[in-house]
Amino acid sequence: QVQLIESGGGLVQAGGSLRLSCATSGISLSTGGLGWFRQAPGREREFVAVIRGSSGRVYYGESVKGRFTISRDDGSNIVNLQMSSLEPEDTAVYYCAASKRGYSDSAALYDYWGQGTQVTVNS
């Protein structure tokens, strides 16, 4: 059984940082892809970042490039999202997701999802 459990969300001032973690079980981080998406109220789910299982290559959504960093700890089966220079526009529920297909920026191609963690950035 695959489980993805996010943690690390919270309230932060603009310009601050947060680190989200996704604890995984039932999947291998060396295959497929592990990604982060976010969804703000009234908006579609947005691609944030993904790390490919086979190569470790990373890809980012345009709105977070240069500010967010995705990484993985294979020993503990955890994928992290370090978020810096946060802006009020980053306020959303952040979801961890796993894809069997590797890299994808489309939420429709992800097979497993976590329950989400709220990130709120105050101006």
Short mmCIF file of all heavy atoms in Angstrom, two decimals, residues 13 50 55-56 86:
data_model
loop_
_atom_site.label_atom_id
_atom_site.label_comp_id
_atom_site.label_asym_id
_atom_site.label_seq_id
_atom_site.Cartn_x
_atom_site.Cartn_y
_atom_site.Cartn_z
N GLN A 13 6.02 34.73 7.30
CA GLN A 13 5.99 36.08 6.74
C GLN A 13 6.60 36.07 5.34
O GLN A 13 7.49 35.23 5.03
CB GLN A 13 6.77 37.04 7.62
CG GLN A 13 6.13 37.29 8.98
CD GLN A 13 4.77 37.96 8.85
OE1 GLN A 13 3.74 37.39 9.16
NE2 GLN A 13 4.79 39.20 8.39
N VAL A 50 9.34 18.41 -9.44
CA VAL A 50 9.39 16.94 -9.49
C VAL A 50 10.84 16.50 -9.54
O VAL A 50 11.70 17.19 -10.08
CB VAL A 50 8.60 16.39 -10.71
CG1 VAL A 50 9.23 16.83 -12.02
CG2 VAL A 50 8.48 14.87 -10.64
N SER A 55 17.06 9.20 -12.54
CA SER A 55 18.21 10.06 -12.76
C SER A 55 18.46 11.06 -11.64
O SER A 55 19.57 11.59 -11.52
CB SER A 55 18.04 10.84 -14.06
OG SER A 55 16.93 11.72 -13.95
N GLY A 56 17.42 11.34 -10.86
CA GLY A 56 17.56 12.37 -9.84
C GLY A 56 17.43 13.78 -10.40
O GLY A 56 17.58 14.76 -9.67
N LEU A 86 9.59 33.35 0.21
CA LEU A 86 8.16 33.08 0.02
C LEU A 86 7.38 34.37 -0.18
O LEU A 86 7.70 35.43 0.41
CB LEU A 86 7.62 32.30 1.21
CG LEU A 86 8.01 30.82 1.21
CD1 LEU A 86 7.84 30.20 2.58
CD2 LEU A 86 7.19 30.06 0.18
#
